[in-house]
Amino acid sequence: MEPSPELANVTRVQQFILLGLSTRLGDRDVLFAVFLALYLLTLLENTLIVSLICSHSQLRKPMSFFLGNLSCLEMCYVSVTMPTLLLGLWVGPYHLSFVACMTQLFFFIVLMGTECIPLASMAYDHYVAICRPLHYPLLMRPQVCWGLALSSWVGGLVVSAVKTKCIASLSYCGPNVLNHFFCDVSPLLNLSCTHVALTELVDFISAIVIFCGTLLVALASYVAIGRAVLRMPSAAARRKALSTCASHLVVVGIFYSVTIFIYARPSRSKSVDLNKVLSVIYTVATPLCNPVIYCLRNREVHAALRRTLRGRDPAAPRPGALPRLQSSWAQHQR
């Protein structure tokens, strides 16, 4: 949207001042050490998961494929926002150029949008494994898994390009202070001195398509799973099915509740402190906890980790190992 004639001669903001997570010096030192440790731990956890999946043939299944893709996303995701968070805690409020801010925003939106499809794909994988186990090799064949992964990246890139272009085309004529620890959508809209109705509409529509669309897929999958579980004659089978899906349900619930609360609102957010807390949850806590919830509680991952620590050949399959990309649920049934 073109700026109004009154703003035509106003100098455009060339850089922003990020206040960071906290402006109190006493808190910053402690928070820096805490978040640096969390950042390194997140990278270590996700690198370990990707390494185990790539080096152990028995983990080359659709669910493990999506977990590896998700771990790669988490490492990129946390590396987009964490450096500016740590810099703000180390030096206090600092300057960030307009180009650097838009670049960070672009990659943040790419990774945020891309992460939704793997989460929905894992819910669909659970649905096929439990409700249609005989069709699992066809419905979750490698071509389908790769197609879902590539579509998630392409969709994230397209949505991010459109949203970032809309936000970058707005006029920012001062003040240039972002009360946040990274360049996010809502703080930037609050600083714009032009009308943002079109940008907010684009933001809202993309949130509905990406977040709500994939959430509906996940919810439909789990509704079907719930109906199938209720029809199971054995209590042990019902417990096994529920335990298979429980960890994914926890992560999906946390991720979607926080992101939809922040981004699926077509208005400028005024709750700055609340947005900071929620942003820490999905930019720091979620990438840290996902490997623990998804993988480190998985018995197959535990077995692969033990074999790696004992120095056994990770590429050698166990006696009686199942074929590549077979359902873990089908394995339990056998």
Side-chain angles (χ1 to χ4, degrees):
M1 183 175 293
E2 295 294 329
S4 60
E6 293 80 2
L7 301 172
N9 297 323
V10 178
T11 303
R12 184 182 177 89
V13 167
Q14 298 299 317
Q15 60 182 4
F16 295 102
I17 300 175
L18 271 70
L19 297 183
L21 185 63
S22 175
T23 57
R24 290 180 290 187
L25 183 60
D27 295 340
R28 293 208 315 260
D29 294 338
V30 176
L31 290 175
F32 177 84
V34 170
F35 280 103
L36 178 61
L38 294 178
Y39 178 45
L40 296 177
L41 182 59
T42 300
L43 295 180
L44 177 63
E45 288 178 346
N46 286 282
T47 301
L48 177 62
I49 296 303
V50 174
S51 176
L52 289 175
I53 291 173
C54 292
S55 60
H56 290 78
S57 58
Q58 64 270 23
L59 293 179
R60 292 171 189 167
K61 303 172 185 178
M63 180 56 69
S64 298
F65 173 82
F66 292 125
L67 289 174
N69 187 32
L70 186 63
S71 291
C72 291
L73 281 170
E74 300 287 21
M75 287 189 287
C76 298
Y77 187 48
V78 74
S79 296
V80 168
T81 57
M82 188 63 81
T84 52
L85 187 153
L86 292 173
L87 182 60
L89 294 174
W90 182 257
V91 302
Y94 64 97
H95 293 81
L96 189 68
S97 69
F98 183 86
V99 174
C101 185
M102 292 300 119
T103 301
Q104 184 186 46
L105 177 68
F106 172 78
F107 285 108
F108 173 74
I109 298 175
V110 167
L111 297 167
M112 171 71 76
T114 302
E115 188 170 353
C116 295
I117 294 181
L119 290 175
S121 300
M122 285 187 275
Y124 178 71
D125 178 87
H126 285 145
Y127 160 75
V128 177
I130 294 175
C131 300
R132 305 183 66 183
L134 297 180
H135 297 87
Y136 190 93
L138 175 65
L139 296 177
M140 298 305 297
R141 60 190 183 275
Q143 296 88 337
V144 174
C145 296
W146 279 105
L148 290 171
L150 292 175
S151 65
S152 67
W153 282 99
V154 172
L157 286 168
V158 171
V159 170
S160 181
V162 173
K163 292 180 69 171
T164 305
K165 184 180 184 301
C166 291
I167 294 174
S169 64
L170 298 173
S171 294
Y172 301 92
C173 43
N176 63 339
V177 178
L178 281 174
N179 190 4
H180 214 310
F181 57 88
F182 71 99
C183 292
D184 202 359
V185 175
S186 181
L188 287 169
L189 293 181
N190 288 336
L191 293 184
S192 175
C193 53
T194 54
H195 297 293
V196 296
L198 178 60
T199 303
E200 288 181 334
L201 179 62
V202 171
D203 184 40
F204 180 68
I205 293 175
S206 63
I208 293 295
V209 172
I210 296 294
F211 295 136
C212 296
T214 54
L215 178 59
L216 287 176
V217 172
L219 289 177
S221 299
Y222 280 115
V223 168
I225 290 172
R227 295 174 61 184
V229 168
L230 291 176
R231 292 196 297 266
M232 290 180 179
S234 169
R238 288 195 294 269
R239 285 194 298 270
K240 186 178 292 184
L242 292 175
S243 65
T244 302
C245 305
S247 59
H248 185 253
L249 276 171
V250 171
V251 173
V252 166
I254 295 174
F255 177 82
Y256 280 104
S257 60
V258 173
T259 52
I260 290 178
F261 178 80
I262 293 180
Y263 293 106
R265 298 173 297 162
S267 60
R268 304 186 189 192
S269 176
K270 300 298 184 181
S271 304
V272 176
D273 292 335
L274 177 61
N275 277 357
K276 283 186 181 181
V277 173
L278 295 175
S279 296
V280 168
I281 292 176
Y282 68 79
T283 60
V284 179
T286 300
L288 175 68
C289 297
N290 278 353
V292 178
I293 296 174
Y294 279 131
C295 298
L296 299 183
R297 294 179 56 194
N298 186 296
R299 285 178 292 180
E300 291 181 339
V301 175
H302 280 170
L305 182 58
R306 284 195 298 269
R307 282 192 295 273
T308 300
L309 295 177
R310 292 172 183 172
R312 290 181 56 181
D313 182 9
R318 297 173 303 172
L322 294 177
R324 184 182 182 184
L325 287 179
Q326 187 174 8
S327 163
S328 59
W329 174 256
Q331 180 183 4
H332 292 318
Q333 291 300 309
R334 293 186 181 183

